[in-house]
Amino acid sequence: MPASKFGVVDYTIFALLLIFSAGIGLFHALSGGKQRTVQEFLLANRSMGFLPVALSLLATFQSAVAILGVPAEIYRFGTEYWFLGCSYFLGLLIPAHVFIPIFYRLRLTSTYEYLELRFNKVVRVCGTATFIFQMVVYMGVVLYAPALALNAVTNFDLWVSVLAIGLVCTFYTALGGLRAVIWTDVFQTFVMFAGQVAVIVVGTVKVGGMGRVWQLAAEKGKVSGIDLNPDPYERHTFWSLAFGGVFMMLSLYGVNQAQVQRYLSSRTEQQAVLSCYAVFPCQQMVLCLSCLTGLVMFAFYQEHRLLPEQSSASPDQMVLYFVMDVLQEVPGLPGLFVACLFSGSLSTISSAFNSLATVTMEDLIRPYVPSIPEGRATLYSKLLALGYGLLCLGMAYVSSMMGPVLQAAISIFGMVGGPLLGLFCLGMFFPCANAVGAVAGLVAGLAMAFWVGIGSIVVNMQSVAAAPNSPPPLGGNLTTAVMTTLLTSTAPPERLTGLRKFYNLSYMWYSAHNSTTVIVVGLLVSLLTGPTQGKDVNPHTIFPVLPRLLFCLPQRYQERLRCGVRDPAKDVSDCLDPASLTLEKTSQGVLNGLPDGLPPGGGPDGEEPGEGFVRADGTHTYILRETSL
């Protein structure tokens, strides 16, 4: 498309996005406590309300992947992907009532602190290293691929957009900390909504109304019914989307550091739970907007002839071609959608920077240098965020050199999420699991994930090579398509047998398959090496599923179902002896703060603020004493 279609007003709107984002970071760097403590920089001083946290959770998930990928999915395969919304209910309800209470009451900063409290330091380091690998590989791709897609369609300079997004994001994340990240996410969420709504409204008007859009889609078979086929090798069915999607949601909203860190920044546990509830309708709205964009795009091109370059474009390019076609007559609206697209990238990347700085400081530096002063620890956290930001730019350059291997790189992000979910579930739901079983389970889960994931990529590449006349799944040289490997996969796989069939397991079952592998292997190894005794398990790290589900049973039976783990509601010794708790904390022991908060006035024995204890100006109230499914 000629560059003239992206005018001065469009560039101005895009520039304003960057200026406002940077301004929010600068404001929070110069106001309040000015990010002088680790707790303020990494956890926003645990003072956020549920609504900004919910919108930040949404923005982190709603990256450019979804903005480009989901409409392309609907455009190609119809509305079946819409059933993914069914998974949001359990995918957010379980974190609200299982993961959040445990993480919040343990007063964590890094999610992986839990693994040391439940198992030992080795498991914690393994989990942290896995997460860092996952995010570092992903960062450059999520920055580079949307810029490449935009460049292919609008001639918007590729590296100018990469550098602008990367540097601005690094600036406000390193200066303003998590508070700036959350509030820029709120701003960027509204920009994303505005961009998608503008495309839907203008496109619908040009087609002739939403009724006409639906009619054209129905005539061409794009309105899907409920497919109850239980075959796990079918790419999309109701079961894979509604139930396989639950595990994908849990890996994102339950145990991912970028999301958990937002829960932990809430001023109370109740606010954290409310943020999880509040994100549910927002997620449904975002899914509807993305699906409607795909339907409107399909209807528009049923009534308007595709240009030659559009006919050979990948589906992700088609989204941007569609935007330029329907919005070019209204100055500023193409720029608004570009701002929408890059808002998704900004929110995802800034979350990655902040979460990586957090786990590096809390899991890899502080445990081994416990005497580091608070001021210096804060400075190191800012430098870590800055360093990861520069690394992101380097990874974007590496992504540009990777070519077809880029699909493997983005697949890694999804491959790693399932095993990490399995590791946390192993600890929370199975008191008998030990540290050896946890490490063995994680290794087995990662091995299974990479075996199936890389095998699937190889089989798909072989299929394309065997059918040279078919369009390549990556859409020529447009690498944005690979970002949707786990969200919107390529064409439905051919019918295969044996191991090749196994490699074509639906991507929606990846998280469930890999997390189950971790749990099964972890339990078997734990039983073979000597299971952990219930009395030796910290009760605050366990979620007793059976006693909660079978609460109507007599008390003596419920005690048996606890497998020997003490009931923290009855074991008051944890709350009556703050001195012993301090010893546990300083020796990398059980709790990083009292389970029910500390009285105003700081931590025990004069513990400095920002170390995981409650400060006088940030006392927590624990409203949700008991949670259940």
Side-chain angles (χ1 to χ4, degrees):
M1 302 293 284
S4 58
K5 289 193 175 183
F6 206 78
V8 175
V9 179
D10 302 304
Y11 283 109
T12 301
I13 291 176
F14 180 65
L16 287 175
L17 166 71
L18 302 181
I19 292 171
F20 275 116
S21 297
I24 292 172
L26 190 62
F27 170 79
H28 287 290
L30 300 176
S31 64
K34 301 181 182 178
Q35 315 302 318
R36 290 174 178 166
T37 67
V38 172
Q39 176 138 313
E40 185 169 10
F41 183 75
L42 297 180
L43 289 178
N45 210 25
R46 300 186 190 267
S47 61
M48 301 302 297
F50 78 92
L51 190 56
V53 170
L55 293 176
S56 182
L57 290 168
L58 176 69
T60 302
F61 179 79
Q62 179 69 357
S63 68
V65 176
I67 295 172
L68 287 177
V70 176
E73 162 70 21
I74 303 299
Y75 176 79
R76 298 178 71 191
F77 301 118
T79 59
E80 191 163 30
Y81 188 79
W82 217 323
F83 290 113
L84 181 67
C86 299
S87 71
Y88 292 172
F89 182 72
L90 284 178
L92 292 168
L93 186 67
I94 293 174
H97 292 285
V98 177
F99 295 106
I100 290 178
I102 290 179
F103 291 147
Y104 199 91
R105 294 173 190 180
L106 288 175
R107 313 291 295 145
L108 306 179
T109 299
S110 163
T111 316
Y112 303 99
E113 290 178 66
Y114 169 85
L115 297 177
E116 182 174 355
L117 305 182
R118 174 62 179 87
F119 297 111
N120 61 21
K121 189 173 294 186
V122 173
V123 182
R124 176 179 181 177
V125 172
C126 289
T128 301
T130 303
F131 172 76
I132 291 176
F133 172 71
Q134 175 192 32
M135 296 305 293
V136 166
V137 170
Y138 185 62
M139 285 193 306
V141 180
V142 82
L143 174 60
Y144 173 74
L148 184 61
L150 187 67
N151 171 259
V153 176
T154 66
N155 291 339
F156 194 94
D157 189 86
L158 174 64
W159 290 106
V160 167
S161 58
V162 168
L163 288 173
I165 293 293
L167 292 176
V168 168
C169 197
T170 302
F171 174 80
Y172 73 73
T173 305
L175 283 182
L178 184 63
R179 191 188 303 273
V181 171
I182 288 177
W183 283 111
T184 50
D185 283 351
V186 172
F187 165 65
Q188 290 154 11
T189 298
F190 286 108
V191 174
M192 286 188 276
F193 275 124
Q196 289 183 297
V197 169
V199 171
I200 292 171
V201 170
V202 177
T204 301
V205 169
K206 290 198 173 185
V207 171
M210 188 55 68
R212 179 61 177 163
V213 169
W214 194 264
Q215 178 187 353
L216 289 171
E219 288 175 356
K220 298 296 181 178
K222 295 297 182 181
V223 178
S224 305
I226 299 179
D227 182 0
L228 297 178
N229 185 354
D231 185 0
Y233 299 101
E234 285 293 326
R235 180 171 168 271
H236 281 168
T237 66
F238 175 79
W239 305 114
S240 67
L241 290 165
F243 291 95
V246 170
F247 289 86
M248 183 185 75
M249 292 293 293
L250 290 179
S251 68
L252 287 168
Y253 281 95
V255 301
N256 188 282
Q257 170 67 25
Q259 307 290 53
V260 173
Q261 202 167 332
R262 281 150 177 73
Y263 303 142
L264 300 176
S265 71
S266 302
R267 66 174 65 101
T268 65
E269 183 184 323
Q270 184 188 43
Q271 293 287 308
V273 172
L274 284 175
S275 70
C276 214
Y277 277 112
V279 82
F280 175 74
C282 297
Q283 282 282 28
Q284 296 288 358
M285 189 182 306
V286 163
L287 181 62
C288 287
L289 289 177
S290 296
C291 291
L292 286 175
T293 302
L295 284 179
V296 173
M297 179 169 69
F298 177 82
F300 181 83
Y301 285 119
Q302 292 302 303
E303 298 193 335
H304 297 78
R305 177 173 297 182
L306 292 171
L307 299 176
E309 64 267 26
Q310 293 174 334
S311 300
S312 59
S314 77
D316 300 287
Q317 279 180 309
M318 284 302 302
V319 176
L320 287 165
Y321 277 125
F322 169 65
V323 169
M324 299 304 294
D325 284 341
V326 301
L327 298 184
Q328 60 182 321
E329 298 174 0
V330 186
L333 287 188
L336 179 62
F337 186 82
V338 169
C340 161
L341 181 65
F342 280 94
S343 289
S345 291
L346 277 169
S347 59
T348 303
I349 295 168
S350 62
S351 300
F353 293 169
N354 194 264
S355 59
L356 284 167
T358 300
V359 299
T360 305
M361 172 56 66
E362 296 298 320
D363 298 331
L364 302 181
I365 297 179
R366 271 192 157 178
Y368 303 98
V369 192
S371 60
I372 184 172
E374 180 73 12
R376 186 171 297 177
T378 306
L379 175 62
Y380 289 167
S381 298
K382 294 182 179 181
L383 291 176
L384 284 169
L386 175 63
Y388 278 118
L390 298 178
L391 178 61
C392 175
L393 292 173
M395 287 300 298
Y397 179 75
V398 172
S399 297
S400 70
M401 301 288 102
M402 291 175 71
V405 184
L406 193 58
Q407 181 170 0
I410 192 59
S411 297
I412 288 171
F413 183 81
M415 293 175 194
V416 174
L420 284 177
L421 171 64
L423 183 61
F424 281 92
C425 290
L426 181 68
M428 289 184 184
F429 305 139
F430 301 95
C432 63
N434 61 24
V436 177
V439 174
L442 178 61
V443 171
L446 289 171
M448 179 64 74
F450 278 85
W451 178 35
V452 176
I454 300 300
S456 175
I457 292 172
V458 172
V459 168
N460 286 336
M461 287 182 174
Q462 290 174 347
S463 300
V464 173
N469 294 326
S470 63
L474 296 186
N477 65 351
L478 182 74
T479 54
T480 305
V482 302
M483 295 190 61
T484 61
T485 301
L486 296 178
L487 288 176
T488 56
S489 188
T490 56
E494 58 179 301
R495 293 294 180 181
L496 302 171
T497 58
L499 199 57
R500 288 170 61 87
K501 180 177 178 65
F502 178 64
Y503 288 148
N504 277 274
L505 177 73
S506 171
Y507 72 99
M508 291 302 303
W509 289 112
Y510 277 7
S511 287
H513 178 256
N514 298 330
S515 58
T516 302
T517 300
V518 174
I519 293 172
V520 171
V521 173
L523 288 175
L524 288 175
V525 173
S526 295
L527 294 175
L528 291 174
T529 57
T532 302
Q533 299 299 312
K535 60 184 178 60
D536 297 327
V537 177
N538 174 6
H540 299 284
T541 63
I542 298 293
F543 184 87
V545 178
L546 291 178
R548 296 289 176 88
L549 293 177
L550 303 176
F551 60 91
C552 57
L553 291 178
Q555 189 64 34
R556 64 179 183 275
Y557 294 114
Q558 290 194 38
E559 290 296 329
R560 292 181 183 178
L561 292 175
R562 297 188 67 87
C563 302
V565 179
R566 304 188 311 275
D567 186 350
K570 297 179 180 179
D571 187 4
V572 297
S573 60
D574 289 332
C575 303
L576 296 180
D577 190 4
S580 64
L581 185 61
T582 306
L583 292 176
E584 287 176 336
K585 177 173 180 281
T586 56
S587 63
Q588 302 302 321
V590 178
L591 290 180
N592 189 12
L594 287 175
D596 281 333
L598 285 172
D605 298 332
E607 187 78 14
E608 287 188 19
E611 298 287 343
F613 291 96
V614 182
R615 303 197 301 177
D617 58 349
T619 304
H620 285 66
T621 56
Y622 287 81
I623 298 174
L624 297 183
R625 292 285 180 174
E626 290 294 332
T627 56
S628 66
L629 290 172

